[in-house]
Amino acid sequence: MRIDAHQHFWLLENRRGSWPPAELAAIHRDFLPPDLAPVLAAHGVVGTVVVQSLPSIDDTLFMLRQAEATDFILGVVGWVDLKSPNAVRDIALLAGDPKLKGLRPMLQDLEDDNWIDDPLLTPAIEAMISHGLVLDALVLPRHLPALLAFAERFPTLPIVIDHAAKPDIAAGRMAPWQDDIARLARLPNVHCKLSGMVTEARPGWQIAELRPYADHLLAQFGARRLIWGSDWPVLNLAADYGRWIAASEALLAALDEVSLRAVFGANAQKFYRLG
């Protein structure tokens, strides 16, 4: 059972000038479940996790409405201002919807690289844990030390690093991402998504350019804590859905069948508690 653990939907009218800009023509339009359904069917993907792309509760409610009306959406990762005085209340209200599986602070867009390493988050994180929610970490390599401190502070909170923390694949740069990822992988509550790699690579990317990064993720997290996702429709900037699946299969070709099933679906099902 193949599951896409990372994809997005949006309506441009709701984004009010937010990303994506008009010059990114491939993704500067509305994307809704009917756009994705035939792509999933063509590639044998039976379900998805839809992830927030705006820092607003309205965006989370929009995704939950899509999930209610769409059989293939198995879970939603939403957004709450985790440092707001209302965070605990907001988390409780959203968690009343069984399709809500996690929350994602958009750390890559925040000026403070250490935003996540802050005791002010404690009430919200404790509320997430009590409601059985996970945390998606949208980070860049520079955020990984602070994420490590945060993950050590909350060892019972399941955490997944989105897009492998967006290493600089285009430049072939491994340090310090390589060591920081290894430190995080030593924590059993931390997982990582095999997603978003091709948009960090140079135009005209080849599988050989992705392989050192994928090999490092496999070596550190193993096949039981690596979760596959497409990052559709952002993926469309660098590849189509079929090409990313083919690249992923090539990068994971050394795995046995059980491990492949884990990365391509079973891990997502377990991590997000999907039905």
Side-chain angles (χ1 to χ4, degrees), residues 51-122:
V51 180
Q52 63 82 229
S53 58
L54 283 176
S56 75
I57 289 179
D58 284 345
D59 183 55
T60 302
L61 295 174
F62 162 76
M63 291 185 298
L64 289 170
R65 289 194 297 271
Q66 303 307 310
E68 183 179 8
T70 307
D71 289 342
F72 70 71
I73 300 176
L74 305 179
V76 170
V77 175
W79 181 92
V80 163
D81 181 351
L82 298 176
K83 292 185 181 179
S84 165
N86 298 321
V88 172
R89 180 203 66 189
D90 292 341
I91 290 167
L93 290 172
L94 290 171
D97 190 316
K99 285 289 183 77
L100 187 80
K101 304 299 181 180
L103 298 173
R104 182 171 86 150
M106 301 185 77
L107 304 181
Q108 71 170 17
D109 296 331
L110 301 178
E111 292 184 5
D112 182 3
D113 290 354
N114 295 307
W115 186 93
I116 194 72
D117 184 19
D118 186 344
L120 286 176
L121 288 165
T122 299

Side-chain angles (χ1 to χ4, degrees), residues 3 5 19 28 52 65 72 74 76 95 99 128 153 198 205 234 238 259 266 273:
I3 294 171
W19 189 93
H28 188 73
Q52 63 82 229
R65 289 194 297 271
F72 70 71
L74 305 179
V76 170
K99 285 289 183 77
M128 288 180 64
R153 185 179 297 118
V198 294
W205 59 269
V234 183
S259 296
R273 302 180 185 179

Side-chain angles (χ1 to χ4, degrees), residues 226-249:
L226 200 59
I227 299 173
W228 182 82
S230 71
D231 199 26
W232 181 95
V234 183
L235 170 69
N236 296 346
L237 295 172
D240 62 27
Y241 206 96
R243 189 179 179 203
W244 171 235
I245 286 183
S248 301
E249 290 173 341

Side-chain angles (χ1 to χ4, degrees), residues 151-232:
E152 290 174 334
R153 185 179 297 118
F154 298 103
T156 62
L157 175 70
I159 298 168
V160 62
I161 301 169
D162 288 348
H163 313 322
K166 298 190 173 183
D168 192 353
I169 299 173
R173 185 174 296 118
M174 298 286 287
W177 170 87
Q178 187 174 29
D179 290 341
D180 289 335
I181 281 288
R183 293 185 185 99
L184 276 155
R186 294 185 190 117
L187 304 180
N189 61 316
V190 178
H191 301 64
C192 189
K193 286 186 182 176
L194 185 69
S195 63
M197 297 179 71
V198 294
T199 45
E200 301 306 315
R202 64 180 180 84
W205 59 269
Q206 299 297 318
I207 290 172
E209 299 165 57
L210 310 179
R211 190 173 299 281
Y213 301 89
D215 285 351
H216 185 60
L217 296 175
L218 270 173
Q220 300 305 316
F221 290 97
R224 295 296 177 181
R225 286 189 292 142
L226 200 59
I227 299 173
W228 182 82
S230 71
D231 199 26
W232 181 95

